[in-house]
């Protein structure tokens, strides 16, 4: 069985509701999914999904790209993270790709807020970084993110960045991007990440892996990410399934397997 360590099945893209999505997961041998919060306005929907389905977990956080939304405080995140199905804080991090660099002081503050909340709740971080790896790692060090750990989600950076995150005790999660033809460098990183620090995800509804590229993604398709990584590493698919599932429940230690 596999776990999709990062999806957004609360998004309007899943207008058919969760039941068919969960049925497809079962068929594909995907036992659990972590539904990741991107803002506090939509958090109640994430929480409701986690309450409705034993194999769906939730996180709480505000995505670095989101503006014009409720700005989280440490206290607010800590309060929402008390829910027993909330197993992580995020997604948080830095994203300089969409926003001009000089406009992102608030992004850094928001990131620090999430790390402080994670340290308080002892729940791991889900970190998004895009065109901002050096600043992301610097803030992780300054705020002692290694004290609580977490995952670098939808990883697209170099081995050097992966190495620094691994040294801070973080896990590395690969999405469907690793199946894309243009991602040869990333496949090399996915080959090298220690087996006991590896996670797989869809980031659905985005980034559908080959052979679904360009279509709406869903948690069942994490199977294609795991298959590709098994192939890359010359390992049986079962080994990747078992390792990434063990890793998920070790990292998100308040998530129950039942
Ligand atoms: Ni995401």
């Amino acid at each position: 069985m596999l776990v999709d360590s990062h999806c957004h099945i609360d998004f309007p893209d899943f207008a058919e509701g969760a039941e068919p999505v969960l049925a497809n997961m079962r068929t594909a041998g995907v036992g659990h999914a972590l539904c990741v919060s991107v803002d506090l306005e939509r958090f109640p929907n994430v929480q409701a999904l986690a309450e409705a389905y034993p194999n769906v977990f939730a996180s709480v956080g505000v995505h670095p790209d989101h503006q014009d939304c409720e700005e989280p405080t440490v206290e607010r995140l800590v309060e929402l993270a008390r829910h027993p199905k909330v197993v992580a804080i995020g997604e948080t991090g830095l994203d300089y790709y969409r926003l001009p660099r000089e406009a992102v002081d608030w992004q850094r503050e928001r990131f620090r807020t999430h790390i402080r909340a994670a340290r308080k709740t002892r729940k791991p971080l889900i970190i998004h970084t895009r065109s901002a790896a050096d600043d992301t790692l610097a803030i992780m060090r300054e705020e002692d993110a290694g004290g609580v750990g977490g995952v670098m989600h939808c990883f697209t950076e170099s081995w050097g960045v992966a190495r620094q995150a691994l040294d801070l005790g973080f896990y590395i999660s690969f999405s469907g991007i690793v199946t894309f033809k243009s991602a040869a460098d990333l496949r090399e990183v996915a080959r090298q990440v220690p087996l006991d620090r590896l996670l797989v995800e869809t980031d659905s509804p985005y980034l559908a892996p080959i052979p679904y590229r360009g279509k709406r993604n869903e948690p069942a398709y994490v199977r294609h990410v795991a298959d590709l990584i098994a192939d890359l590493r010359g390992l049986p698919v079962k080994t990747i399934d078992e390792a990434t599932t063990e890793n998920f429940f070790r990292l998100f230690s308040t998530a129950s397997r039942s």
Side-chain angles (χ1 to χ4, degrees):
M1 291 293 253
L2 272 171
V3 184
D4 182 359
S5 74
H6 191 118
C7 65
H8 302 285
I9 53 174
D10 60 305
F11 281 15
D13 309 71
F14 295 97
E16 76 272 34
E19 296 288 349
V21 173
L22 292 168
N24 291 344
M25 277 172 58
R26 271 193 297 280
T27 308
V30 179
H32 300 82
L34 173 47
C35 185
V36 174
S37 162
V38 295
D39 59 36
L40 299 183
E41 288 79 358
R42 276 191 275 194
F43 174 71
N45 303 334
V46 174
Q47 181 178 300
L49 280 167
E51 283 172 350
Y53 303 102
N55 60 336
V56 176
F57 307 109
S59 73
V60 62
V62 181
H63 194 286
D65 275 352
H66 285 229
Q67 290 173 280
D68 307 319
C69 58
E70 182 187 337
E71 192 58 37
T73 61
V74 173
E75 296 68 33
R76 182 93 171 105
L77 291 172
V78 168
E79 175 200 324
L80 295 171
R82 276 200 196 104
H83 191 284
K85 290 296 295 277
V86 172
V87 302
I89 304 294
E91 62 185 281
T92 183
L94 299 176
D95 191 330
Y96 298 166
Y97 182 75
R98 278 174 244 257
L99 299 171
R101 205 188 156 108
E102 59 279 6
V104 296
D105 281 349
W106 59 267
Q107 251 192 24
R108 288 180 217 150
E109 268 322 295
R110 185 185 283 177
F111 185 27
R112 291 181 192 278
T113 295
H114 282 80
I115 299 174
R116 289 168 193 169
R119 289 173 46 81
K120 274 205 165 156
T121 58
R122 312 299 308 160
K123 289 185 179 178
L125 287 153
I126 299 168
I127 295 186
H128 167 113
T129 183
R130 190 166 186 197
S131 307
D134 289 347
D135 282 8
T136 301
L137 288 163
I139 290 177
M140 286 166 70
R141 288 196 189 93
E142 284 167 26
E143 298 288 338
D144 191 18
V148 67
V151 57
M152 306 304 285
H153 114 84
C154 194
F155 194 79
T156 53
E157 302 290 336
S158 66
W159 171 247
V161 173
R163 186 67 262 170
Q164 292 177 70
L166 289 165
D167 288 345
L168 287 169
F170 273 68
Y171 290 66
I172 309 286
S173 180
F174 294 93
S175 70
I177 292 176
V178 80
T179 70
F180 296 174
K181 203 170 172 218
S182 57
D185 293 349
L186 188 62
R187 278 189 285 281
E188 192 49 37
V189 179
R191 214 176 52 72
Q192 290 184 66
V193 167
L195 195 56
D196 63 356
R197 295 289 193 86
L198 183 69
L199 292 172
V200 286
E201 65 171 81
T202 58
D203 206 10
S204 51
Y206 311 118
L207 299 171
I210 287 174
Y212 301 106
R213 190 170 181 184
K215 303 214 168 70
R216 187 199 70 179
N217 199 0
E218 61 175 88
Y221 298 170
V222 77
R223 163 59 50 211
H224 297 275
V225 179
D227 285 357
L228 185 280
I229 292 177
D231 192 46
L232 271 182
R233 299 175 70 122
L235 291 171
V237 170
K238 190 167 174 280
T239 306
I240 295 296
D241 284 22
E242 287 173 359
T244 55
T245 299
E246 285 300 314
N247 295 344
F248 179 89
F249 287 103
R250 188 186 320 115
L251 174 61
F252 301 106
S253 60
T254 59
S256 148
R257 280 180 199 244
S258 61

